[in-house]
Amino acid sequence: MRRHWMPVIFLLLGSLQVLLAYPEDDFLVNANRKELTDSPLFEYGDVRKPTPTKGLLYPRDSETREVRSLDGMWQLVRSDPFDPLQGIREKWFIDALRKTGREIISMPVPASYNDITTDNLRDHVGTVWYERTFFVPRSWKAMQRTWLRFSSVHYAAVVWINGRNATSHSIGHLPFESEISGLLSFGGNNRITVMCDNRLSNRTIPQGSVYKVATDDGSVPVQSYTFDFFNYAGIHRSVHLYTTPLLHISDLEVTTQLTNEGLGRIDYRVWLEASKEGLQIQPIHLRVRLRDKDGHVAAQQINKAIYHGTLLVPNATPWWPYLMHSDPGYLYNLQFELFVSSNKKELEALQDTYRLPVGIRCLNWDNDTLLLNGKPLYMRGFGRHEDSDIRGKGLDNALLARDFNLLKWTGANAYRTSHYPYSEESMQFADQHGIMIIDECPAVNIDIFEPQLLENHMSSLEQLIHRDRNHPSVIAWSVANEPRSNKKGALKYFESLVNYVRGIAHGRPLTAAINANSSSCHLAQFLDIVGFNRYNSWYQNSGRTDMIINLLTIEAQSWRDKFGKPVIQFEYGGDTMEGMHSLPAFIWSEEYQVDLFSRHFKAFDELRGRGWFIGEFVWNFADFRTAQTITRVGGNKKGVFTRNRQPKEVAHILRRRYFALAKELDMFGLPEDLTVYISKHIHNEL
């Protein structure tokens, strides 16, 4: 189909040229489009590989660095939905947003903006503008660099400091940063302005389309998408200012191994970056120290003019998942210190220090299983969402702590970051608590396979892997959720995608959550672990919990027979209204959810005995918001917990299941409160 392009607006802002180009048919009603990939001549050989991400270490204070949060109350202005680039043309970034004459809304950061107000900002389509002011101390000006870092803005963002362009980024859920030393007024007031665009197209990750509808008040744009969660938008995670020396440690890469004799091995690589002035600084050596939880040095090394090396750790304490060891989530502290020549009496001076938590573990897989530290894994856990009342997808540390307490209360040892990268803080929690992560990129329900989509898909995975490669909790990368992998165009698309990702996978297997049938899927053949989603007795055979066990075991076996890989069920479940009861069980009741889970448990035990079924994941951990439809009463209700994190009846049943598996597989004792006393005969049997 011929494409009609809207005018392309080039903005020369400082030294950065920002391109804003939207194909008209991506943001208006889509006609019956024929996929380019339906043509047998279509190839992906000319697709540009992503430029490798640099830097983006998580901001940490040290002897040589300072970190300051810009979280708090910002000001927000919404653009006209039919003129989303008005603020660009009128240069709203040049001065305070209040001077635009538009309504100023107080907006917390981090948070989604959708549920904060009482008007229709919830369903706004297009751009909004954020602004706040901040001081930078005079002391930051001398002999150091100042950086601005966003942990996530959904979906696309352009950033200005004091009216001058600082950076831009697309793809939500992932961090981006820029040095802003030359844009700041040190010792004075500074203004940061952010344009945030929530529009999705057929080429974004995830996909969507914008079309016009006629309302009583005239025509308005509407964002449509096929994924089953609300398209929250805004500055979702923390914003930081931080300093580094003129010459500093800009990036780190760590891999670990563990021998049967308990010898740990840490291979590391360090990247340095310097400003123009920093190029005059002469590095002397790099000191690397590994400290255990008590602060004792477990291994150390000094490198001169070499920025990679290996630490050997005798009698290393391994990183183990929760309920697989009495001390799960053990982390060492890996300290990097860069020394340079000094003009003072001392021959050397400390230039930069960065500390990285490290878990020592080894990960291997074959065509039957996934092994951690030589032990076969059986994953039991959840698909989840970053979602809560009022905050939407905004980072909330109290909620994060509650969720991890509930994960451990249920006896879960894993979850999938469905359907996008989760916050860096949640990844750190997973490391600390021994919760294994299937780390998923934002490619949910992708369709209409095209080269530009593939480029964005590759970029989302490259950025995700770069961000999370040093986390011991990450045991697999998920390249997609429920893609239309049965379509003809999917074969070459996913072959190109997986071939690229395998080259940067950093020692993890590749998987995906597939809802196609094993007979028609073009993706599974390229994966290391086959994951599938299936809602027996919900979307298929609704109300019939007597149609689960046979169908599930037959399907899992079909995936195994065709592809010869380990198999996981990533999603199963059914919506349940909290407090709705029915005896006998009736669909949507708590009793029905319990019966549905119980039947799945029986099927899973049958499959576990076959030697290649390696995990069961409930959909979902908690209820969550979706777009408005007649099939969703306030959102998706498949949660084991309510949206405010209180248990439904099935949570107690699932808890007994997961702890029973821990006892069977890893000889862990059952919690005393797992059952309640009924009578001495029944209690003794339990």
Side-chain angles (χ1 to χ4, degrees), residues 71 104 117 149 188 203 212 242 252 291 294 296 341 483 510-511 551 560 567 649 665 668:
D71 293 355
I104 299 292
T117 68
R149 188 183 194 273
R203 295 171 171 180
K212 298 176 183 177
Y242 73 94
L252 300 168
R291 297 183 182 272
D294 297 320
H296 302 136
S341 58
L510 304 183
T511 188
L551 289 174
R560 171 65 180 184
V567 178
E649 182 179 346
L665 299 174
F668 259 80

Side-chain angles (χ1 to χ4, degrees), residues 57-70 137 140 144-147 149 238-244 353-354:
L57 290 173
Y58 188 79
R60 300 181 191 277
D61 286 307
S62 75
E63 297 88 333
T64 60
R65 299 172 178 232
E66 291 183 66
V67 180
R68 177 170 295 183
S69 172
L70 291 183
W140 280 22
Q144 57 187 347
R145 307 168 74 182
T146 302
W147 301 78
R149 188 183 194 273
S238 291
V239 184
H240 290 105
L241 292 174
Y242 73 94
T243 66
T244 64
T353 300
Y354 190 88

Side-chain angles (χ1 to χ4, degrees), residues 182-194:
L183 306 177
L184 292 171
S185 172
F186 291 95
N189 200 25
N190 295 269
R191 187 183 70 258
I192 180 172
T193 310
V194 181

Side-chain angles (χ1 to χ4, degrees), residues 250-275:
S250 64
D251 208 355
L252 300 168
E253 182 181 62
V254 171
T255 59
T256 67
Q257 290 293 327
L258 188 68
T259 69
N260 293 333
E261 294 74 32
L263 178 66
R265 172 175 174 151
I266 300 175
D267 295 298
Y268 62 86
R269 186 178 179 187
V270 180
W271 285 263
L272 305 183
E273 183 179 325
S275 64

Side-chain angles (χ1 to χ4, degrees), residues 571-645:
E571 293 185 21
Y572 73 95
D575 287 81
T576 303
M577 293 299 295
E578 173 194 7
M580 178 179 171
H581 294 282
S582 176
L583 193 63
F586 197 83
I587 198 166
W588 285 86
S589 70
E590 297 204 33
E591 287 78 10
Y592 186 85
Q593 191 180 30
V594 167
D595 193 17
L596 184 150
F597 274 44
S598 177
R599 301 289 183 122
H600 278 84
F601 297 162
K602 190 171 183 179
F604 294 151
D605 282 348
E606 164 65 25
L607 292 168
R608 285 195 301 123
R610 300 181 186 182
W612 43 261
F613 188 79
I614 63 170
E616 55 189 74
F617 287 69
V618 173
W619 188 261
N620 190 282
F621 174 74
D623 296 344
F624 57 91
R625 182 72 76 199
T626 64
Q628 298 184 68
T629 77
I630 59 172
T631 61
R632 294 282 181 252
V633 184
N636 191 304
K637 301 293 186 181
K638 292 186 180 67
V640 168
F641 299 95
T642 63
R643 201 180 187 210
N644 66 346
R645 276 37 178 198

Side-chain angles (χ1 to χ4, degrees), residues 151-170:
S151 296
S152 170
V153 180
H154 189 82
Y155 171 77
V158 183
V159 182
W160 296 264
I161 298 293
N162 297 325
R164 299 165 64 187
N165 181 258
T167 187
S168 61
H169 186 258
S170 62

